[in-house]
Amino acid sequence: MPDAYMGSILRVDLSGETISEERIPDSIYENYLSGLGLAAYILFKEIPAGADPLGPDNILGFVSGLLTGTGSLFAGRWMVTGKSPLTGGWGDANCGGTFSPAIKRCGYDGIFIRGISENPVYLYVTGEKAELRDASHVWGKDAVEAEKMLVAETGPRSRVALIGEAGEKRSLISGICNDGGRIAARSGLGAVMGSKRLKAVVLNGAKRIPVHDRDAVHKLSGKCGQWVRMQSPLIPGGMMAYLGAFMRFLPVQMALDGMLYKMFLRKWGTGSMNQMSVEMGDAPVKNWLGSHIDFTAKKSAATNPDILKQREIIKYHCYACPLGCGGICSTKGKYARTHKPEYESVIALGGLCMNNDIESIFYLNELLNRAGMDTISAGATVAFAIECYESGVITRHDTGGLELTWGNSTAIVELVRAMIRREGIGDILADGSRKAAERIGGDAKSHAVHAGGQEPGMHDGRDDPGYALHYSVEPTPGRHTIGSFMYYEMFQLWKVIKGLPRIWPLYMKGSKYTANKKKAVMGAACSRFMNVVNGAGLCLFGTFLGAKRIPTFDWINAATGWSRTPEEYMEIGGRIQTVKQLFNIKHGIEPNNFLLTGRATGDPPLVEGANAGRTVDIKGMIRDYWKQFGWDEKTGKPTAESVIRSGIRED
Amino acid sequence: MSFTITDECNGCGACVKFCPVDAIRGEKQEVHVIHDMLCIECGACGRICPVEAVRDGEGNRCVPVRKSMWEKPVFNHKNCISCTICIDACPVGCLALARLPTAKDPHGYPGLKDEKACIGCGFCASECPTDAITMAVPEIKVKRGAHG
Ligand code: SF4
Ligand code: SF4
């Protein structure tokens, strides 16, 4: 009998309208965990080489996590996976809310959907049955409204993942929403769901999730929960900008202990970093060309975390989360309630576009969450368009009369609306900046900042080159949720894993930019670890507590009954990384083509601001990183030997 | 292990109304059957069956309990970390955030929103990672019960 995992997946073929259940052998869980690992295993095997991401052969996989529902804290994250239409390679996106346990409560670790339906449908699953139902009445509705309608017709315990207008219109920067406008935003998988004419997956099961030793899991959770509750008084939100400025002036870098960041998250959420990041050089400004000198502390003051917090009605906790970084806020205007805008959204729609109109940010955040469009890619694409406009690559004629200048919030709102509706210039921009640059032609290409077609997260590699590295080397490029130097510092994996370098509390800033083996070891450790975390369904923010405070590996052992060392779990993480890379090779990706756009790595370097004169030796870092996995250091392709060593059977 | 129903069943159908996962089938006045793949072992059928026809997963005879005396969750919000695991664990969906934020504490805390719907399964208490929930017969009812 399986423990912690359900041992089955649900398979749906929309073309043939067939649904079946499949037992998964224990050995697969032992080698790949559940969640991301299970999906990587299945999708690598089953999606045929060269499959059209928007065609019937692509498989959309919704997966829960190994630890979800076992009593482990932070284990409420689900993932959607598939071949990304945005990058052409491995695609995944992660989200919280209540959808992850709902998958398991129907009896499955994952739901895998192929084919294309003739008419709009939704998938309805209970612990007893699964069926396709007509979705024409919710097609065209935004994600929040459609979710409400589907819950009303299927029962209050229903949990829904669905697309909005952006996914329906196959925007390549669209994602999949749940719980009132939370969104698994990245990789463009909303377009895949739209291409399948699948509006929603509605889950309504109440199965129990087996746990090997529930008491042991609870003991570990109890201790972890105490760390989370430990909160000391913090400086006022308005002072965070000064803290950032102070860090900018320091010639040394302070290694971050995640307990401090945890306190920020518990008090303000990710928005704690809104101003601080601009000041210290972590947040990109003006499409990666500016700095705090352009977007001054006075300008960013509208995003002061205390001001956002005033709108907060209640903290939002995802399932199993003791932290509660989210918040339900009130807004002015059309939408009464909204999820508090995250840091990523505030920067992408704010500083990156030189926009400091906080009302517009609240509105755009809700609008995009309802439409199911990624705020990072949407904001970055708007910033790209503004730069094109300001430099004369596009004109007022092209924008349909919009005065697309830096910080013009009225024009930005109109543009985003047009992108969601795919009207006029919006249609050109609705698939992200790389596609838009191709469509516009001429000089537009030089204004698009992306890695392999995906806009990078709002963390500047010129401040923390670890981000630049992971934006460029991951099978899902442009992602800020896998690794950086700061993440490595917070994970504190060296405390539980032999051979990993420990980080001293202070080190010289200048040492960050050169490539060396130590950085490659750190980068590879982040990738491996996050594959374990995403196999387990844990939240990245939980892991920031540090390995001695969040018992990732002990939880897995207690919940499954396995007795494995952290090193063995890291090996599984490496295996998952290799499978994702093999997926990309199978689909014709040249890993070198995922290299982040030069300006974001300091090529050419900025002339002013926190990151002035900084250039990252990104190619050196990539080479060293690939060596860590035993892959070809020039091409990034897994060698036959490394594939055999990681225990992957290509059958 | 699934609960089962013996042929002592008189087919009254009381259990069917309370099973949260529709695992019990049967015609009126005929012996009912529990679908073993669906049963989540909540015990509601055993508590309600008037003729003691239900056996638990170990084969023990279940003893009926007057509905007003079914145990209900009692929350100790001092221990609670607002993880909402209990809300998800409840098979009938009778829990919700009940204690709302105060000026001092911005987090919400769970409570029994729909007391009538609660089947007393105790899943919330067993899944709560901080032991913030105990199952107890509601006090007023205990007193009333004591006086007959
Ligand atoms: S134990 Fe609960 S789930 Fe099982 S048959 Fe009885 S009422 Fe239904
Ligand atoms: S499961 Fe326990 S700790 Fe979590 S919300 Fe419920 S009562 Fe609180």
Side-chain angles (χ1 to χ4, degrees):
Chain A
M1 275 301 277
D3 273 325
Y5 52 91
M6 309 307 284
S8 288
I9 59 168
L10 186 72
R11 289 191 181 273
V12 179
D13 184 345
L14 294 169
S15 300
E17 294 180 31
T18 57
I19 299 179
S20 61
E21 200 176 304
E22 183 183 320
R23 295 288 311 166
I24 300 293
D26 292 336
S27 61
I28 302 304
Y29 297 95
E30 285 155 14
N31 285 318
Y32 294 93
L33 308 176
S34 187
L36 176 66
L38 175 66
Y41 168 78
I42 291 175
L43 268 49
F44 169 55
K45 238 178 25 169
E46 296 186 10
I47 300 179
D52 174 3
L54 301 181
D57 289 338
N58 198 3
I59 302 175
L60 198 60
F62 295 85
V63 285
S64 183
L66 186 57
L67 288 177
T68 301
T70 64
S72 311
L73 301 181
F74 292 106
R77 307 290 300 187
W78 61 281
M79 287 185 92
V80 58
T81 55
K83 179 172 177 177
S84 165
L86 186 61
T87 70
W90 175 259
D92 61 41
N94 185 301
C95 196
T98 58
F99 194 71
S100 187
I103 298 173
K104 283 173 113 169
R105 295 218 183 266
C106 288
Y108 307 109
D109 297 303
I111 299 171
F112 293 85
I113 303 167
R114 67 176 88 215
I116 287 182
S117 168
E118 221 162 278
N119 300 305
V121 288
Y122 73 90
L123 175 67
Y124 181 64
V125 190
T126 68
E128 189 186 354
K129 61 172 185 204
E131 62 193 27
L132 293 166
R133 293 180 173 182
D134 175 47
S136 47
H137 60 305
V138 280
W139 196 259
K141 297 264 186 292
D142 77 44
V144 174
E145 215 185 316
E147 180 184 339
K148 273 191 200 139
M149 291 169 70
L150 290 168
V151 168
E153 72 189 51
T154 59
R157 279 194 92 265
S158 284
R159 303 288 180 253
V160 185
L162 74 174
I163 49 172
E165 203 178 347
E168 290 178 12
K169 293 196 154 65
R170 302 181 199 186
S171 151
L172 300 190
I173 54 172
S174 63
I176 297 168
C177 312
N178 63 301
D179 290 275
R182 305 186 72 77
I183 170 165
R186 312 237 62 199
S187 301
L189 295 174
V192 177
M193 197 155 163
S195 74
K196 296 190 174 315
R197 294 196 191 87
L198 179 65
K199 177 70 178 180
V201 174
V202 182
L203 306 178
N204 194 355
K207 286 216 187 300
R208 300 218 77 196
I209 295 155
V211 185
H212 177 73
D213 186 346
R214 201 181 283 277
D215 284 345
V217 173
H218 282 182
K219 267 208 192 94
L220 292 165
S221 294
K223 268 200 218 141
C224 177
Q226 278 170 6
W227 284 109
V228 176
R229 289 181 120 190
M230 200 177 283
Q231 192 80 354
S232 64
L234 297 170
I235 55 173
M239 295 292 287
M240 294 293 277
Y242 295 100
L243 187 59
F246 174 69
M247 286 165 77
R248 183 176 75 236
F249 284 121
L250 283 184
V252 290
Q253 181 78 35
M254 285 188 283
L256 187 60
D257 187 306
M259 271 306 277
L260 180 65
Y261 188 46
K262 190 283 302 180
M263 290 182 197
F264 291 165
L265 283 175
R266 190 157 166 89
K267 181 164 182 192
W268 292 296
T270 53
S272 55
M273 305 301 288
N274 290 350
Q275 285 194 278
M276 183 172 164
S277 281
V278 174
E279 289 300 311
M280 65 188 245
D282 170 50
V285 168
K286 208 176 180 186
N287 203 23
W288 304 79
L289 288 178
S291 71
H292 72 281
I293 297 168
D294 306 277
F295 202 65
T296 59
K298 218 169 141 193
K299 280 204 180 121
S300 67
T303 64
N304 171 347
D306 276 345
I307 294 183
L308 266 63
K309 202 171 147 56
Q310 282 168 8
R311 303 270 188 93
E312 196 173 76
I313 299 160
I314 185 171
K315 289 282 180 197
Y316 183 86
H317 291 245
C318 295
Y319 169 77
C321 177
L323 179 60
C325 73
I328 303 296
C329 292
S330 62
T331 64
K332 298 178 188 141
K334 188 173 168 197
Y335 307 120
R337 295 278 182 276
T338 187
H339 279 286
K340 186 169 63 188
E342 300 291 341
Y343 162 84
E344 297 293 323
S345 315
V346 170
I347 300 298
L349 300 163
L352 199 70
C353 300
M354 298 289 290
N355 174 23
N356 72 339
D357 172 0
I358 190 67
E359 284 316 319
S360 76
I361 293 173
F362 263 101
Y363 174 74
L364 287 169
N365 180 58
E366 179 69 11
L367 189 72
L368 287 163
N369 287 345
R370 283 172 179 259
M373 190 182 268
D374 177 13
T375 55
I376 296 176
S377 283
T381 305
V382 170
F384 154 84
I386 296 176
E387 196 181 308
C388 285
Y389 185 84
E390 294 263 5
S391 60
V393 175
I394 54 173
T395 63
R396 215 171 160 142
H397 175 74
D398 302 310
T399 64
L402 286 181
E403 187 69 61
L404 214 50
T405 50
W406 291 116
N408 181 350
S409 63
T410 319
I412 293 172
V413 167
E414 280 314 310
L415 187 65
V416 169
R417 281 211 193 111
M419 283 166 67
I420 292 168
R421 291 197 299 255
R422 274 195 183 278
E423 282 169 7
I425 178 113
D427 191 25
I428 290 169
L429 298 171
D431 298 315
S433 51
R434 180 173 71 175
K435 264 268 148 50
E438 281 167 18
R439 288 172 183 150
I440 295 166
D443 233 9
K445 217 176 138 201
S446 66
H447 304 297
V449 179
H450 65 90
Q454 177 146 254
E455 292 73 14
M458 295 296 109
H459 298 279
D460 200 322
R462 293 165 297 192
D463 174 60
D464 180 337
Y467 288 113
L469 173 67
H470 289 278
Y471 290 154
S472 302
V473 290
E474 292 296 338
T476 47
R479 301 290 285 279
H480 66 285
T481 46
I482 303 171
S484 70
F485 297 165
M486 192 178 79
Y487 291 2
Y488 183 83
E489 288 161 13
M490 292 195 287
F491 291 156
Q492 298 185 342
L493 289 168
W494 64 84
K495 292 190 174 174
V496 298
I497 292 169
K498 283 183 225 89
L500 287 181
R502 71 166 293 175
I503 303 296
W504 299 99
L506 291 174
Y507 54 93
M508 295 308 289
K509 273 187 183 165
S511 70
K512 293 192 286 189
Y513 301 89
T514 51
N516 61 29
K517 188 176 165 203
K518 181 179 161 191
K519 290 183 185 118
V521 172
M522 288 159 51
C526 286
S527 299
R528 290 191 176 108
F529 179 57
M530 281 313 293
N531 286 332
V532 176
V533 167
N534 288 330
L538 290 176
C539 173
L540 173 69
F541 294 159
T543 63
F544 285 166
L545 286 171
K548 281 275 187 191
R549 303 183 189 116
I550 174 164
T552 306
F553 309 114
D554 295 338
W555 264 332
I556 303 180
N557 282 338
T560 56
W562 301 339
S563 44
R564 296 201 170 148
T565 62
E567 289 80 2
E568 288 173 289
Y569 284 113
M570 291 293 271
E571 214 172 280
I572 296 177
R575 182 177 305 133
I576 297 170
Q577 191 75 356
T578 302
V579 171
K580 290 189 294 184
Q581 190 78 337
L582 286 171
F583 179 98
N584 281 1
I585 306 301
K586 177 176 176 182
H587 291 273
I589 299 280
E590 285 292 337
N592 276 319
N593 291 348
F594 280 178
L595 183 68
L596 179 61
T597 302
R599 71 164 76 162
T601 57
D603 173 21
L606 289 173
V607 292
E608 57 179 16
N611 300 320
R614 300 293 191 195
T615 304
V616 182
D617 179 7
I618 186 68
K619 288 194 175 144
M621 284 186 185
I622 293 172
R623 180 197 58 220
D624 292 351
Y625 173 93
W626 281 336
K627 255 197 254 175
Q628 283 301 311
F629 289 94
W631 302 346
D632 188 297
E633 62 179 76
K634 282 206 194 79
T635 64
K637 293 181 180 164
T639 58
E641 199 199 322
S642 70
V643 173
I644 293 168
R645 202 165 356 101
S646 62
I648 299 162
R649 286 205 318 264
E650 288 181 84
D651 44 14
Chain B
M1 284 284 280
S2 162
F3 278 48
T4 49
I5 296 174
T6 68
D7 53 16
E8 291 155 86
C9 168
N10 66 9
C12 73
C15 56
V16 177
K17 279 197 222 93
F18 284 90
C19 176
V21 291
D22 292 333
I24 310 175
R25 310 288 152 88
E27 297 295 320
K28 273 252 165 236
Q29 319 303 330
E30 281 173 27
V31 174
H32 281 45
V33 181
I34 297 176
H35 193 313
D36 63 349
M37 294 299 287
L38 296 180
C39 172
I40 56 171
E41 300 169 63
C42 71
C45 50
R47 280 187 288 280
I48 204 74
C49 175
V51 297
E52 297 187 21
V54 178
R55 302 287 177 272
D56 73 10
E58 267 93 58
N60 302 315
R61 178 183 289 265
C62 298
V63 189
V65 180
R66 186 138 45 92
K67 179 128 195 291
S68 61
M69 300 296 279
W70 284 9
E71 289 182 333
K72 302 262 145 68
V74 181
F75 293 83
N76 174 1
H77 286 153
K78 268 213 189 94
N79 281 5
C80 174
I81 51 176
S82 307
C83 69
T84 70
I85 284 177
C86 51
I87 296 178
D88 181 82
C90 176
V92 296
C94 65
L95 304 181
L97 290 182
R99 204 185 90 191
L100 293 175
T102 61
K104 269 205 181 131
D105 184 351
H107 302 268
Y109 294 89
L112 188 55
K113 172 193 68 177
D114 188 353
E115 206 186 318
K116 263 210 188 121
C118 176
I119 52 171
C121 65
F123 290 172
C124 51
S126 89
E127 292 201 20
C128 170
T130 64
D131 291 333
I133 306 175
T134 40
M135 296 299 291
V137 179
E139 242 174 65
I140 303 170
K141 311 247 165 75
V142 176
K143 277 190 203 133
R144 261 199 222 132
H147 294 290

